Amino acid sequence: MVTIHIDNQSYQVEAGANLLQACLSLGLDLPYFCWHPALGAVGACRQCAVKQFKDENDSRGRIVMACLTPAQEGLRISIADPEAHAFRAGVIEFLMENHPHDCPVCDEGGECHLQDMTVMTGHVHRRYRFAKRTFRNQYLGPFLNHEMNRCITCYRCVRFYRDYAGGRDLNAMASHNHVYFGRIEDGVLENEFSGNLAEVCPTGVFTDKTFKAHYTRKWDLQTAPSICVHCGVGCNTLPGERYGTLRRIQNRYHHEVNGYFLCDRGRYGHGFVNSEKRLRQPLLRTEGSETVAPVSPTEALAHLAALCAGPTVIGIGSPRASVEANFALQKLVGPERFFNGMSASDAGLTRLILDILTRRPVRSPSLHDMEQADAVLVLGEDVTNTAPRIALSLRQAVRRAALEIAGARHVPLWHDGAVRDAAQSAKSPLFVATHSATRLDDVAAETWHAAPDDLARLGFAVAHVLNPDAPEVPGLDAETAALAGRIALSLSAAGRPLVVSGTGCGSPAVIRAAANVAMALGRTGQPAELCLVAPECNSFGAALLGGEGIDAALLALERGEAETAIVLENDLYRRADRAAIDRALQAAKHLVVIDHLGHATAAQAELVLPAATFAESSGTLVSSEGRAQRFFKVFAGNGEARESWRWLEEAQRAAGRGNGFDGLDDVIAACAAAHPKLQGIAHAAPSAKFRLLGEKIPRQPHRYSGRTAMLGGINPDWSVAILPLPHTTPHGLQPVADRSPLGRAGEGRGEGVPLIDTSAKGNVPHPNPSPARGRGANERPQINIHEQKPPNDPDTPLAFSMEGYGGAAPAALIPVYWAPSWNSVQALNRFQDEVGGPLRGGDPGVRLIEPGADWIWFSEIPAAFQRRADEWLIVPLYHIFGSEELSPQAPAVAERCPRPYLAMNPADADALGLKAGDQADLRLPEGALRLPVELRGDIAPGMAGLPAGLEGTAGIGLPGWGKIDRETRP
Amino acid sequence: MNAILNSLRTMGLIFLHAFRKRATILYPEKKPYIPPRWRGRIVLTRDPDGGERCVACYLCAVACPVDCIALQATEDGQGRRYPEFFRINFSRCIFCGYCEEACPTYAIQLTPDFEMCEYDRRALVYEKEDLLIAGPGKHPGYNFYRVAGLAIAGKDKGEAENEAPPVDVRGLMP
């Protein structure tokens, strides 16, 4: 620690720290643009100017950029110095020369860093009288809107997109005041993290396009802390709601997990919450009827209670439902009749992973830990498409070598430009061994594409080289042995090696091999880090509750061992063979489905109960790090949808054997008591009883508007507020004031006059034309203008209100990032003790999984992959957009989803006489598919790739053997 | 004696008042003069060329101290923003005029009309159709989109006031 003097006040800061970061950490207001805690400093914008003095006698000083100045003992600066202040005001004035007069129609308005900084420097009047420079915008795909006129050339976008996220198709072009940030031509931004540009851009050049479609200002959004449900990483998110629909998702900072960035699936996949496929009413199929009819919740619960009283009820849980929902189901049916709802393969793999992570001496790293790794082996997992945020962290891990070089030359690590100059293209070793090419291959030291069994053999071989105690791979070919040697050399030389694998290639051997490598690395020191990617957001939570996979449940139904099945937030058809499910559901007497989306399983159900999505319920999810994290209700929800555990508890109450679950905390307490491994979930976030100065924490910002008018015209039906209103003049009031000097005179009450003045010059048609005649007051829909009581929330310490404790909330409960004079996302600085560090009071969540000490090598080494004469090994190819169940329900994500195809090695295709684009017949045990062929050199001969989880390919057990033929004309 | 004279004088003065000009008027038969800047019934105005002025920026709503304005922004296909619905609950409105002050496009204006009585409180909830008038109100010449950088139908990039034509990013000239 060193002492620095800012405006004659002494402060203690870290030696060598970035001065701007130090000032912000101290809570001082110093404007900046180009610096970003995760991107470092380049000194591009000249906005953070301060005056530096030699000593206390120096009265002249010199202006320096705080973001490029390291904090040294005795450093003496002034932020308030008039010259420094004038310099900053001048910079803003220059930046604003060309900034358009757009704030009212700009999506960034109200949460704009440029607005904040302009106000902070005191610039109010544009003195420059010449023309403003303009640009044409580009189409950048369904996620981002481009409005280049607003650019202040801080270079943050390209520094994030190219330097941090590894994108290639966004660049800075042209020169001087023509600098243009965009693509070479219009087109979809390719990078999986492009959505972060909306948050990284300090002004409105890049804004969220899906949000624009139903735009709401930040101050009008009701927000609550949440967790992403679209993969197993468990990124923290901040969803925002207005008028009963979910409007957008923004990143919620978590130092250990997602930091400042989300992937595009997490940011844009939330559209399923507003989907037309949402179930909003309990539906009951009367005996012998083909159709279902809406019933009241009471009737539905009575029916469910009657079914539960029947002889054998099994419960099929879900890895995408919360721990609490799964536990309530387990409680209802009993542990021995509870199935965790995963496919047979996923259930086995997840159990294996949990076994490894809890009993073997390997540690599951957080994303932040992964970024510190200086050598990485990725074995069999296409992380960019299965757990995208991990790929972004691995890209940072690759930069460790660059940071080391810079460190050796005494370049401060936050000095991004200098670090990149010093290190050039130096990269830490990243080895990617997968069954097909991945998006990380461009930064990999070596890539290897082979069949899952061969990947496993490579892993076992690496482990054996690292530690001769590990079992040797019999019959290893020279090429693989050499590669294993090189990988082992790099990993053993590293100070903090990391192994990444997961359920992606569906092979237990690959996971065991990865575990062997990690154990071989950890022998001498601490447990080595092994990241095993879970397939879904709560795979670990569901698995920790115990229970078999879905195959066992289907078997029980088919054999008649169970009569009634309760399926919780799960579409069975995505998890097993269609025929097997059909057989089981035929055999089942009663099928109850509790879910939020209508799907094939729900269509067969006798009783459907509408569940609340993550945005309308609170609960706990266990990420693939083993971290239990709480998500909170963002809004109360519409229709009869309610938390799954509430339905189950109410059904049990209707049957007279309730568990006494009145709130979420009761479920959590019971769950923690019943499952010692899940004991930690109670500490994932403060309980519902938590109060600050006796008050709850408000979900609505203090500027929340429209409170007394938003309900005014809203029907009890949830959707009315966002549908176009009837174009009427309901009062019969004349819309034109007849006595005022305003507008044109109308004729008299009760008549209504044309609202569009067609005689006006230009005659621009009104975008939302209203008909000429109004309706009478008695025709107005029945409305209630009384302000309603905000919904009660017994489950959390957050309130559906703008009233409550306005100060700093604990990290797990922060509903919005805002601080006086900091309206943009950068207000986050005010919630961290040290900018870029953990949130004040510690990052939320509890790690449930810690390393064990069972030093037992896995020795089940598979034989090398042998191609078959007339069959191909069909491996799953994952797609960030499409392979997951819920996100394709969002229209923007659906636009990016691929159509099913068959990827083959060109040589194999040639042998079959197939060319790219030809239709091929793929015959699998599950059935036949006709697919267009794509030629992919990265798929080994004897294998073929099929996109996983798409409509048409979901439910197929991959990898598996299949026959491929040329299209046979029927 | 003095007291009697005083009383008579007072009566006389009062009697003289009968011939003075009346301060009261016979409302509602006779309408009072209301100054143009009176803060009465709120209207939404139009551009000089007839387009809706409101760009749904939500500033009136957030400025409103009684939270009686609710709206939802939407956009026509060509970049022009407008409110999908715009609602003022006049049973809550206190006619403070903050909305007018906050409005960056002169769309929302208060007018010299105070006669808004209703027998049914629900009739005091005005929708956009009730609020929109045909003219530009107090600021006849102003058109927000003529000064904004956004391209809309009929106004491309570089065609707004004080704007240079769009930069040719592929040009090599300095």
Side-chain angles (χ1 to χ4, degrees):
Chain A
M1 296 296 261
V2 293
T3 307
I4 62 168
H5 311 281
I6 304 172
D7 289 323
N8 294 323
Q9 291 269 343
S10 298
Y11 299 95
Q12 290 282 315
V13 300
E14 206 68 51
N18 183 309
L19 185 58
L20 170 62
Q21 194 166 4
C23 288
L24 295 170
S25 300
L26 292 168
L28 303 168
D29 283 344
L30 181 56
Y32 64 91
F33 288 112
C34 66
W35 177 80
H36 186 284
L39 303 177
V42 287
C45 71
R46 321 311 284 174
Q47 186 59 63
C48 61
V50 294
K51 203 168 220 184
Q52 185 180 353
F53 300 95
K54 267 191 294 194
D55 49 45
E56 59 269 42
N57 301 321
D58 182 5
S59 56
R60 286 178 67 190
R62 62 194 177 99
I63 285 185
V64 295
M65 296 307 130
C67 75
L68 295 178
T69 308
Q72 288 160 339
E73 178 63 39
L75 182 75
R76 190 170 285 274
I77 60 157
S78 170
I79 295 174
D81 181 85
E83 254 181 9
H85 191 269
F87 185 97
R88 294 195 299 264
V91 170
I92 281 274
E93 189 168 3
F94 279 127
L95 292 178
M96 298 300 281
E97 259 175 25
N98 290 314
H99 196 73
H101 188 67
D102 268 2
C103 296
V105 286
C106 174
D107 287 355
E108 196 83 357
E111 51 180 323
C112 176
H113 191 58
L114 179 59
Q115 278 180 340
D116 287 352
M117 297 301 105
T118 306
V119 172
M120 204 177 274
T121 52
H123 172 74
V124 287
H125 185 70
R126 184 175 188 263
R127 293 186 293 172
Y128 183 78
R129 288 175 304 155
F130 302 96
K132 290 182 180 181
R133 171 211 60 199
T134 58
F135 288 111
R136 293 204 181 279
N137 303 325
Q138 285 182 331
Y139 169 78
L140 297 177
F143 295 154
L144 282 175
N145 192 55
H146 193 219
E147 187 61 45
M148 193 49 213
N149 280 357
R150 299 171 186 157
C151 182
I152 56 163
T153 56
C154 69
Y155 282 75
R156 264 189 182 190
C157 53
V158 287
R159 288 176 59 221
F160 169 76
Y161 194 85
R162 299 180 71 85
D163 298 348
Y164 195 90
R168 285 158 187 269
D169 56 333
L170 182 84
N171 213 341
M173 290 175 262
S175 61
H176 56 96
N177 74 337
H178 290 179
V179 175
Y180 188 88
F181 296 90
R183 288 169 49 90
I184 292 190
E185 54 183 12
D186 284 25
V188 177
L189 278 176
E190 288 162 9
N191 196 272
E192 294 81 6
F193 307 95
S194 62
N196 292 302
L197 291 176
E199 281 183 52
V200 166
C201 177
T203 175
V205 178
F206 299 98
T207 48
D208 184 336
K209 204 183 228 177
T210 61
F211 186 38
K212 186 185 164 83
H214 47 197
Y215 183 67
T216 301
R217 295 271 177 221
K218 179 182 179 179
W219 62 66
D220 279 342
L221 287 172
Q222 178 168 280
T223 47
S226 192
I227 305 294
C228 182
V229 294
H230 300 292
C231 82
V233 176
C235 294
N236 289 212
T237 57
L238 267 183
E241 174 266 0
R242 178 79 173 168
Y243 300 141
T245 56
L246 194 61
R247 297 298 168 101
R248 72 159 170 198
I249 284 202
Q250 276 203 315
N251 181 61
R252 179 164 68 98
Y253 182 81
H254 191 298
H255 183 62
E256 286 296 319
V257 186
N258 48 311
Y260 288 88
F261 306 114
L262 290 178
C263 75
D264 287 355
R265 190 204 275 176
R267 187 179 296 272
Y268 297 107
H270 64 269
F272 75 92
V273 176
N274 306 331
S275 164
E276 283 174 8
K277 289 192 194 164
R278 277 296 299 279
L279 301 165
R280 307 222 180 247
Q281 280 281 319
L283 302 170
L284 182 63
R285 191 189 305 273
T286 42
E287 203 130 341
S289 164
E290 280 299 300
T291 54
V292 287
V295 290
S296 74
T298 329
E299 279 175 83
L301 285 168
H303 191 84
L304 181 56
L307 288 182
C308 291
T312 40
V313 187
I314 60 164
I316 302 178
S318 168
R320 68 166 160 87
S322 67
V323 172
E324 291 81 359
N326 278 305
F327 174 72
L329 180 63
Q330 191 182 40
K331 194 90 183 153
L332 190 148
V333 296
E336 61 289 342
R337 296 206 198 114
F338 173 75
F339 301 87
N340 61 27
M342 287 184 242
S343 68
S345 154
D346 278 353
L349 295 174
T350 310
R351 199 176 308 122
L352 174 64
I353 288 177
L354 280 177
D355 184 65
I356 291 169
L357 293 180
T358 51
R359 292 178 47 204
R360 308 289 158 126
V362 291
R363 185 175 179 277
S364 62
S366 67
L367 293 185
H368 183 256
D369 294 333
M370 288 189 219
E371 287 175 13
Q372 316 305 317
D374 50 1
V376 184
L377 168 64
V378 178
L379 198 63
E381 187 76 16
D382 179 6
V383 281
T384 314
N385 290 310
T386 57
R389 185 60 185 76
I390 290 180
L392 192 60
S393 289
L394 294 184
R395 276 188 189 277
Q396 309 323 307
V398 168
R399 290 206 65 229
R400 293 318 299 179
L403 296 178
E404 269 164 38
I405 291 170
R409 296 185 184 179
H410 306 292
V411 174
L413 300 187
W414 42 258
H415 201 319
D416 193 53
V419 170
R420 281 175 200 278
D421 281 346
Q424 296 295 318
S425 58
K427 290 189 187 74
S428 300
L430 165 70
F431 298 94
V432 182
T434 43
H435 56 61
S436 60
T438 73
R439 300 270 288 166
L440 278 174
D441 290 1
D442 62 327
V443 286
E446 283 198 64
T447 60
W448 197 56
H449 304 135
D453 283 351
D454 287 344
L455 298 174
R457 286 167 67 82
L458 173 72
F460 282 116
V462 172
H464 179 67
V465 180
L466 284 168
N467 188 333
D469 291 350
E472 197 179 351
V473 181
L476 194 67
D477 61 282
E479 192 199 343
T480 317
L483 177 64
R486 292 195 296 276
I487 296 174
L489 192 67
S490 287
L491 291 178
S492 59
R496 200 164 169 180
L498 167 69
V499 184
V500 179
S501 185
T503 56
C505 60
S507 158
V510 168
I511 294 174
R512 290 191 190 110
N516 264 15
V517 177
M519 282 195 287
L521 284 167
R523 181 128 238 190
T524 47
Q526 293 171 314
E529 288 176 339
L530 172 64
C531 167
L532 293 172
V533 176
E536 277 168 83
C537 63
N538 196 28
S539 293
F540 282 7
L544 284 170
L545 285 170
E548 300 281 310
I550 221 162
D551 47 330
L554 296 179
L555 207 63
L557 285 174
E558 207 177 324
R559 283 194 192 141
E561 289 163 13
E563 278 193 357
T564 306
I566 303 177
V567 177
L568 173 81
E569 301 185 33
N570 206 335
D571 180 7
L572 305 182
Y573 286 97
R574 288 186 65 89
R575 301 188 192 274
D577 177 17
R578 174 165 287 275
I581 296 167
D582 284 340
R583 279 198 306 276
L585 296 187
Q586 285 289 317
K589 287 215 172 68
H590 310 284
L591 174 66
V592 181
V593 171
I594 308 176
D595 208 344
H596 40 74
L597 283 175
H599 46 59
T601 313
Q604 304 218 23
E606 170 182 324
L607 176 65
V608 178
L609 295 173
T613 61
F614 76 96
E616 299 141 6
S617 63
S618 309
T620 312
L621 301 175
V622 184
S623 74
S624 57
E625 186 202 341
R627 186 182 289 269
Q629 302 186 101
R630 188 78 36 84
F631 60 94
F632 293 99
K633 235 182 212 198
V634 178
F635 62 112
N638 311 295
E640 296 295 344
R642 57 187 82 171
E643 296 90 339
S644 302
W645 66 262
R646 274 221 154 85
W647 281 121
L648 294 166
E649 169 67 7
E650 282 169 20
Q652 281 188 284
R653 279 188 191 177
R657 41 189 192 102
N659 299 302
F661 295 162
D662 288 322
L664 187 72
D665 287 334
D666 302 328
V667 191
I668 291 172
C671 182
H675 296 276
K677 284 179 187 163
L678 285 165
Q679 223 157 27
I681 63 169
H683 309 294
S687 79
K689 291 201 190 77
F690 179 84
R691 295 288 183 280
L692 282 164
L693 295 182
E695 290 190 280
K696 283 192 154 199
I697 294 150
R699 285 180 172 90
Q700 298 167 356
H702 62 291
R703 288 174 182 158
Y704 196 77
S705 80
R707 197 167 39 91
T708 66
M710 57 198 280
L711 295 169
I714 295 182
N715 253 330
D717 178 27
W718 69 281
S719 58
V720 166
I722 54 157
L723 294 176
L725 289 154
H727 300 301
T728 57
T729 313
H731 307 213
L733 270 180
Q734 62 198 64
V736 179
D738 56 351
R739 258 173 308 102
S740 70
L742 312 161
R744 290 155 51 83
E747 290 314 309
R749 290 181 77 100
E751 281 273 319
V753 292
L755 289 167
I756 300 174
D757 183 3
T758 45
S759 65
K761 62 177 178 197
N763 192 18
V764 176
H766 175 231
N768 187 13
S770 306
R773 291 201 167 268
R775 295 190 300 184
N778 47 0
E779 285 176 69
R780 159 155 283 193
Q782 280 301 303
I783 52 168
N784 177 16
I785 60 164
H786 294 284
E787 224 181 304
Q788 286 167 16
K789 183 174 176 282
N792 192 22
D793 184 4
D795 300 332
T796 75
L798 295 148
F800 292 109
S801 166
M802 55 200 287
E803 289 168 21
Y805 184 74
L813 298 176
I814 300 169
V816 65
Y817 294 124
W818 182 88
S821 73
W822 295 83
N823 299 292
S824 73
V825 284
Q826 327 263 343
L828 170 60
N829 296 340
R830 291 286 185 270
F831 291 81
Q832 299 159 323
D833 271 330
E834 189 188 332
V835 174
L839 290 167
R840 200 162 285 147
D843 285 310
V846 177
R847 276 177 64 97
L848 300 180
I849 295 170
E850 292 300 343
D854 281 3
W855 220 297
I856 306 161
W857 299 105
F858 287 106
S859 52
E860 305 93 324
I861 300 174
F865 171 69
Q866 291 289 326
R867 68 170 300 174
R868 296 186 187 170
D870 55 348
E871 277 193 318
W872 275 261
L873 180 68
I874 314 295
V875 289
L877 301 180
Y878 292 92
H879 288 272
I880 177 170
F881 307 116
S883 293
E884 191 260 344
E885 180 181 357
L886 300 174
S887 55
Q889 303 297 330
V893 171
E895 216 175 296
R896 297 285 305 272
C897 291
R899 305 188 66 77
Y901 60 90
L902 187 67
M904 291 186 79
N905 188 288
D908 281 5
D910 206 34
L912 283 174
L914 286 164
K915 293 190 297 296
D918 283 356
Q919 297 283 322
D921 283 334
L922 170 65
R923 276 198 295 266
L924 290 158
E926 285 93 351
L929 290 167
R930 178 160 297 174
L931 301 160
V933 171
E934 262 186 32
L935 301 185
R936 292 262 299 260
D938 55 290
I939 306 258
M943 291 185 358
L946 183 67
L950 301 185
E951 207 175 323
T953 66
I956 296 174
L958 296 174
W961 291 93
K963 288 192 165 61
I964 299 172
D965 296 306
R966 287 184 64 174
E967 178 186 17
T968 44
R969 298 254 166 237
Chain B
M1 191 63 203
N2 220 356
I4 294 166
L5 279 176
N6 264 346
S7 298
L8 285 174
R9 182 176 164 273
T10 309
M11 287 164 73
L13 282 173
I14 289 167
F15 177 73
L16 283 175
H17 274 294
F19 304 101
R20 292 263 175 91
K21 199 183 167 198
R22 279 180 199 167
T24 53
I25 56 160
L26 291 170
Y27 179 83
E29 287 77 23
K30 196 155 178 275
K31 306 289 188 189
Y33 169 73
I34 307 287
R37 289 201 279 176
W38 174 270
R39 297 199 308 264
R41 178 167 64 90
I42 296 169
V43 294
L44 288 174
T45 60
R46 289 178 184 278
D47 281 340
D49 46 9
E52 228 176 280
R53 250 182 187 165
C54 176
V55 298
C57 72
Y58 294 97
L59 285 182
C60 51
V62 74
C64 180
V66 290
D67 285 346
C68 74
I69 305 177
L71 66 150
Q72 173 59 53
T74 188
E75 204 180 281
D76 70 358
Q78 288 150 311
R80 190 181 175 113
R81 289 200 173 198
Y82 66 96
E84 191 173 342
F85 74 85
F86 193 107
R87 188 181 302 131
I88 299 182
N89 180 353
F90 277 110
S91 72
R92 295 284 186 152
C93 179
I94 56 169
F95 301 98
C96 65
Y98 284 6
C99 49
E100 181 174 10
E101 214 170 281
C103 183
T105 67
Y106 298 131
I108 195 164
Q109 298 181 8
L110 276 73
T111 66
D113 175 16
F114 57 87
E115 298 168 313
M116 304 179 65
C117 306
E118 296 284 352
Y119 287 106
D120 186 350
R121 282 171 69 97
R122 291 177 299 185
L124 283 166
V125 178
Y126 280 38
E127 299 291 344
K128 185 169 89 177
E129 291 71 21
D130 311 327
L131 298 163
L132 258 179
I133 64 164
K138 293 176 214 173
H139 302 275
Y142 187 73
N143 185 339
F144 171 76
Y145 282 107
R146 295 274 144 229
V147 287
L150 224 55
I152 57 161
K155 192 210 83 175
D156 201 1
K157 289 282 176 197
E159 291 177 3
E161 283 168 25
N162 213 10
E163 266 191 359
V167 166
D168 174 15
V169 284
R170 291 171 204 281
L172 293 174
M173 295 302 283

